[in-house]
Amino acid sequence: MKAKPQAHFPATRMRRNRRTAWSRRMVQEHTLSTADLIWPIFLTDGTNRRVPIAAMPGVDRISVDLVAETAGEAAHLGIPVIALFPYTEEGRKTEDGREALNPDNLVCRATRAVKEAKVGIGVLCDVALDPYTNHGHDGLLKDGTILNDETLEVLVAQALVQARAGCDIIAPSDMMDGRVGAIRTALEREGFRDVQIMAYAAKYASAFYGPFREAVGSAKALKGDKRTYQMDPANGDEALREVALDIAEGADMVMVKPGLPYLDIVRRVKETFAMPTFAYQVSGEYSMIMAAVERGWLEADRAIIESLIAFKRAGADGVLTYFAPRAAKLIRNL
Ligand code: PBG
């Protein structure tokens, strides 16, 4: 929408509406609610364990026995969904990432624990092999190539294992072609009609995933980069084609990732498809803010809320963010 013609100064004084706090509140266009927040949580082995992630100050990996309590805290704060990511010990990583299919892997155990706790919160699980492969790639690797169609079969099996554990939202993050359709077909066939799919539809080959790869332990493992399957940061139109395909294949919601550097994509996706549209404020975005906060260069609370409202302004319906609990407390004045 173009700005309409308006009276010139002094008939128009933009500062009139900004003069008082009540007026600023009255004319505010966008609001951030706790319902906009999806909280990604990292899992680790053991019991009663919290392991700090050096590259993500303030974020811990937690053992499965602590997950239900954390989910309860999230629900209490009004956060609708948590997303689960595993740190897989070296010994369980293989060339084919078969730990992804283990019904007793960290993600499945944590999912069951949250669902059994009945705290009224959704569980989102990533579908991709990178936390489980010894080469750190999201798919099967052969002679230096990530195989597409062979990987689809494994991703489908992974999605079904997660659905059986009680996962509410399957989130394919692997960027293989055809994965949303393959997973949707399998979910229908196996009786999981109501399992939602949030597709990482436009996911870029980004430097901002660095701290996440430390968090799930795939950084050291990763050989090469992900540019043959994740998108080129220089491309915008291509994102719309990716999103169109995922919608046609049965995605209920779409996601753009990373977040702040890609707000133009969020806006274009929302305007083009009018779908529930999410953005992922990724690990590197979190760490950038926290690093500056630690040096005293940024005011944490204001920077966090400003970064999150930007997503709403761009058209996002919600944000996956490691700031979720802190932002929820700020929103609720806790
Ligand atoms: C796995 C996956 C990644 C992220 C979410 N799921 C990393 C990657 O693709 O290398 C990144 C999240 C973050 O950086 O916070 N496919």
Side-chain angles (χ1 to χ4, degrees), residues 26-42:
M26 185 177 70
V27 300
Q28 187 170 77
E29 297 174 40
H30 299 282
T31 48
L32 185 65
S33 143
T34 60
D36 298 321
L37 305 170
I38 299 176
W39 183 9
I41 289 170
F42 296 107

Side-chain angles (χ1 to χ4, degrees), residues 71-95:
E73 182 195 335
H76 180 70
L77 288 170
I79 295 170
V81 181
I82 57 172
L84 300 174
F85 294 98
Y87 176 91
T88 309
E89 294 295 335
E90 288 311 312
R92 293 201 303 279
K93 290 192 184 188
T94 54
E95 180 82 21

Side-chain angles (χ1 to χ4, degrees), residues 126 130 138 173 203 209 212-213 226 230 257 283 322:
D126 243 48
D130 56 315
D138 296 32
S173 73
K203 176 171 177 180
Y209 308 149
F212 173 95
R213 291 177 191 167
K226 301 192 177 183
Q230 298 180 346
K257 179 180 174 198
S283 56
Y322 304 97

Side-chain angles (χ1 to χ4, degrees), residues 82-84 107-108 111 123-127 162 167-172:
I82 57 172
L84 300 174
V107 166
C108 291
T111 301
V123 173
L124 178 151
C125 299
D126 243 48
V127 168
Q162 293 172 344
C167 171
D168 300 292
I169 306 177
I170 296 286

Side-chain angles (χ1 to χ4, degrees), residues 205-266:
S206 172
F208 293 99
Y209 308 149
F212 173 95
R213 291 177 191 167
E214 184 205 309
V216 301
S218 68
K220 269 184 282 152
L222 185 60
K223 297 193 180 78
D225 59 53
K226 301 192 177 183
R227 283 183 289 186
T228 68
Y229 46 106
Q230 298 180 346
M231 285 181 55
D232 182 342
N235 296 350
D237 292 345
E238 188 186 351
L240 301 184
R241 296 181 65 203
E242 284 282 6
V243 171
L245 286 166
D246 285 358
I247 295 169
E249 291 176 27
D252 302 289
M253 301 168 266
V254 295
M255 192 210 298
V256 173
K257 179 180 174 198
L260 287 188
Y262 296 86
L263 288 185
D264 58 321
I265 307 299
V266 173

Side-chain angles (χ1 to χ4, degrees), residues 64-186:
V64 171
D65 57 308
L66 301 179
V67 168
E69 183 192 321
T70 304
E73 182 195 335
H76 180 70
L77 288 170
I79 295 170
V81 181
I82 57 172
L84 300 174
F85 294 98
Y87 176 91
T88 309
E89 294 295 335
E90 288 311 312
R92 293 201 303 279
K93 290 192 184 188
T94 54
E95 180 82 21
D96 59 5
R98 72 180 78 100
E99 175 68 4
L101 310 186
N102 174 4
D104 287 318
N105 66 22
L106 288 172
V107 166
C108 291
R109 279 162 46 212
T111 301
R112 282 196 293 270
V114 175
K115 289 289 107 178
E116 278 162 19
K118 298 203 188 317
V119 291
I121 200 165
V123 173
L124 178 151
C125 299
D126 243 48
V127 168
L129 300 182
D130 56 315
Y132 308 102
T133 53
N134 55 19
H135 44 74
H137 280 291
D138 296 32
L140 300 173
L141 179 67
K142 192 167 183 215
D143 303 329
T145 301
I146 304 300
L147 303 173
N148 193 87
D149 300 16
E150 292 79 354
T151 297
L152 291 187
E153 291 177 29
V154 188
L155 297 175
V156 164
Q158 183 184 16
L160 289 174
V161 162
Q162 293 172 344
R164 283 184 202 115
C167 171
D168 300 292
I169 306 177
I170 296 286
S173 73
D174 52 281
M175 290 299 277
M176 297 301 119
D177 286 318
R179 85 264 208 237
V180 171
I183 291 169
R184 176 56 79 208
T185 302

